[in-house]
Amino acid sequence: MSNKSDKLTLIVEFSDGLDTLIKDDLLKEVDGRQQATLTLASEHSGRPTSIRDLVEYIRDNCIKRNPELFYMENGVRPGILVLINDVDWELTDDGVDKYDQKLENNDNVIFISTLHGG
């Protein structure tokens, strides 16, 4: 479904410790999960908003400490799984770079850390 307004509302979930990096006032617990409702412009530089735009928005506006645990070298840190509407972004086969995947209004994006101390 295409969004005709100038804003996108996204539900973004941070799990397995990633929630500790996010500003507390952005998070709310829903069914035991830490979620943020984020609003972004529907376009960036004349193109539809992509997962790259969301990742950069989180880096610039939502991280309260240790941004390197979420973001490095122009993307999500290795060891973080990204699901868009419950689909692993690595499994999409549409010929588009995973960071250039277009986001739609009310998409659900989940960031899951696979990195754990021991």
Side-chain angles (χ1 to χ4, degrees), residues 3-9 39-44 49 105:
N3 179 35
K4 301 290 184 205
S5 78
D6 60 347
K7 300 285 183 191
L8 290 179
T9 299
T39 303
L40 281 72
S42 62
E43 291 188 354
H44 285 82
T49 297
N105 196 42

Side-chain angles (χ1 to χ4, degrees), residues 69-72 75-81 114-115:
L69 296 177
F70 177 78
Y71 186 92
M72 63 185 282
V76 175
R77 182 181 181 88
I80 296 177
L81 299 176
T114 63
L115 306 172

Side-chain angles (χ1 to χ4, degrees), residues 87-101:
V87 177
D88 186 335
W89 72 338
E90 297 281 355
L91 300 179
T92 60
D93 190 16
D94 54 11
V96 175
D97 180 278
K98 62 187 177 186
Y99 285 100
D100 293 330
Q101 292 180 53

Side-chain angles (χ1 to χ4, degrees), residues 62-82:
C62 302
I63 301 285
K64 66 181 174 186
R65 63 180 176 86
N66 301 96
E68 70 279 0
L69 296 177
F70 177 78
Y71 186 92
M72 63 185 282
E73 297 180 22
N74 299 319
V76 175
R77 182 181 181 88
I80 296 177
L81 299 176
V82 180

